[in-house]
């Protein structure tokens, strides 16, 4: 039925949380409130009772090892017995380990929270594959897209989206191709590195780029390698102020044509690196900001849910919409 088709899943894990050390708890940006405020916004918008709750679970060792090295997972497990602290990134291999820095933090719950975040995304994916829900949203932390197969960085310990994609591509999942679309303001360097030679995955990222913006990766010239050449698509925005209008135009001009080409060809259109670069660099900073650019993240998430249910998130100002086709297109 249409009602069943519109069933949207929600994973929210308010229990397995990890916390910054007390000295940084008031100022660190990656805290439990980052997801709890979104959950409360969904409730305030009266959306929670219209969502299908999916129980979170921990990702198994086998599911995580489909993406990460055994050394990576062992280092994550060791955090359960380590003294809570602020650190830099962790990298495996010769001369690896934790670097100096203060952006990453961990406590006794970090490993469990990371497994439950990844497992929650897998659980949603399995629900879609079984036909129980049509789509879903994993409201979980810690985040994941900066985690590489042998690196923990940027608040990320396990790459949840990559773990779910590999689960979907497994014999049990049954898929032959997966499209990963990453529209976080930061480039998903971990996700790109994991899939850059995997022809079964098309990775599409829109992000700020240049002028020292973290993590410094995601140039349009990075297109994947080997049998997966052409299956990494980066849209690097070099200007601030990009909002709904610019992202929707990028989906229309770049993402949809490339994604639609996949079923009928062995590789996406090879002209996309120049197209993505030229299109992204041509975007002007809008004179009228799109309607979500000044809204807090919790309000934007609620608008996303309304849109996914066909209710609409509110009009975009027509005068802020850029051309839907790239220059010369």
């Amino acid at each position: 039925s249409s009602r069943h088709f519109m069933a949207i899943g929600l994973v929210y894990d308010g229990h397995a949380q990890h916390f910054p050390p007390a000295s940084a708890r008031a100022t660190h940006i990656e805290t439990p409130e980052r997801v709890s405020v979104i959950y409360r916004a969904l409730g305030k918008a009266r959306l929670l009772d219209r969502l299908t709750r999916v129980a979170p679970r921990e990702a198994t060792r086998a599911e995580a090892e489909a993406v990460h090295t055994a050394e990576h997972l062992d280092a994550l497990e060791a955090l359960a017995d380590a003294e809570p602290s602020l650190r830099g990134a962790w990298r495996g291999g010769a001369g690896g380990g934790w670097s100096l820095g203060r952006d990453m933090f961990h406590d006794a719950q970090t490993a469990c929270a990371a497994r439950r975040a990844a497992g929650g995304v897998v659980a949603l994916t399995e629900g879609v594959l079984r036909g129980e829900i049509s789509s879903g949203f994993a409201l979980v932390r810690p985040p994941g897209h900066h985690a590489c197969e042998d690196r923990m960085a940027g608040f990320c310990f396990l790459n949840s989206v990559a773990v779910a994609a590999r689960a979907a591509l497994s014999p049990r999942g049954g898929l032959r191709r997966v499209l990963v679309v990453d529209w976080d303001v930061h480039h998903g360097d971990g996700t790109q590195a994991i899939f850059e030679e995997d022809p079964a995955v098309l990775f599409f990222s829109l992000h700020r780029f240049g002028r020292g913006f973290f993590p410094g990766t995601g140039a349009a010239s990075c297109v994947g390698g080997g049998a997966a050449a052409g299956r990494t698509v980066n849209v690097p925005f070099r200007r601030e102020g990009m909002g709904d209008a610019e992202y929707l135009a990028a989906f229309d001009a770049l993402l949809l044509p490339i994604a639609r080409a996949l079923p009928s060809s062995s590789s996406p259109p090879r002209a996309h690196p120049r197209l993505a670069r030229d299109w992204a660099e041509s975007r002007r900073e809008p004179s009228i900001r799109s309607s979500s650019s000044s809204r807090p993240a919790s309000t934007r998430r609620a608008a996303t849910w309304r849109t996914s249910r066909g209710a609409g998130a509110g009009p975009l100002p027509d005068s802020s919409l850029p051309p839907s086709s790239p220059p010369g297109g």
Side-chain angles (χ1 to χ4, degrees):
S1 67
S2 60
R3 184 175 182 274
H4 175 75
F5 178 77
M6 289 301 293
I8 299 173
L10 171 67
V11 165
Y12 174 64
D13 191 0
H15 301 289
Q17 301 285 6
H18 71 141
F19 296 86
S23 62
R25 195 163 297 176
T27 57
H28 206 286
I29 63 173
E30 214 296 276
T31 65
E33 290 74 22
R34 196 171 62 83
V35 294
S36 64
V37 70
I38 297 172
Y39 185 79
R40 290 195 299 271
L42 292 174
K44 186 176 180 179
R46 299 182 179 179
L47 293 172
L48 289 177
D49 59 349
R50 299 163 63 184
L51 304 175
T52 300
R53 297 300 290 268
V54 176
R57 66 167 177 85
E58 291 190 27
T60 67
R61 174 86 181 201
E63 288 170 337
E65 277 194 333
V67 170
H68 298 286
T69 65
E71 183 186 10
H72 179 117
L73 300 180
D74 291 343
L76 176 63
E77 294 300 320
L79 296 180
D81 299 317
E83 185 71 19
S85 67
L86 290 163
R87 297 186 179 185
W90 179 91
R91 182 178 292 278
W98 290 97
S99 63
L100 296 176
R102 295 180 61 81
D103 61 326
M104 297 282 284
F105 65 84
H106 61 82
D107 63 12
Q109 298 300 315
T110 297
C112 178
R115 290 194 302 268
R116 287 177 70 86
V121 182
V122 174
L124 274 181
T125 302
E126 291 172 335
V128 172
L129 293 175
R130 289 193 298 264
E132 298 168 355
I133 53 178
S134 63
S135 60
F137 181 54
L139 189 51
V140 296
R141 58 177 291 274
H145 74 160
H146 296 305
C148 303
E149 66 172 7
D150 63 348
R151 184 170 183 255
M152 295 178 254
F155 315 147
C156 302
F157 296 86
L158 294 177
N159 196 308
S160 301
V161 166
V163 172
R166 283 276 162 81
L169 291 165
S170 70
R172 180 179 177 182
L175 295 189
R176 293 184 296 114
R177 291 183 299 272
V178 167
L179 168 63
V180 175
V181 181
D182 186 333
W183 68 85
D184 186 79
V185 68
H186 302 103
H187 179 241
D189 53 335
T191 311
Q192 175 177 298
I194 288 166
F195 292 125
E196 60 187 353
E197 295 189 0
D198 186 343
V201 177
L202 171 61
F203 175 66
F204 186 97
S205 177
L206 307 97
H207 48 269
R208 268 193 63 184
F209 180 75
R211 299 182 182 177
F213 195 75
F214 182 85
T217 55
S221 58
C222 296
V223 298
R231 296 191 179 239
T232 293
V233 184
N234 285 302
V235 184
F237 290 123
R238 292 182 177 271
R239 294 177 175 85
E240 298 180 7
M242 300 301 171
D244 289 352
E246 288 73 31
Y247 275 69
L248 289 171
F251 291 162
D252 181 57
L254 298 172
L255 173 60
L256 292 179
I258 292 172
R260 286 167 178 159
L262 279 178
S264 60
S265 65
S266 60
S267 64
R270 296 306 300 272
H272 74 68
R274 177 186 56 79
L275 194 65
R277 183 195 65 235
D278 293 348
W279 191 92
E281 293 183 354
S282 73
R283 297 303 92 184
R284 60 181 174 84
E285 185 166 352
S287 56
I288 299 179
R289 296 294 178 87
S290 56
S291 57
S292 74
S293 60
S294 60
R295 289 182 289 179
S298 57
T299 307
R300 295 198 302 270
R301 297 300 185 275
T304 299
W305 277 111
R306 292 192 189 94
T307 302
S308 65
R309 294 192 63 86
L316 291 172
D318 291 339
S319 57
S320 73
L321 288 170
S324 60
S325 58

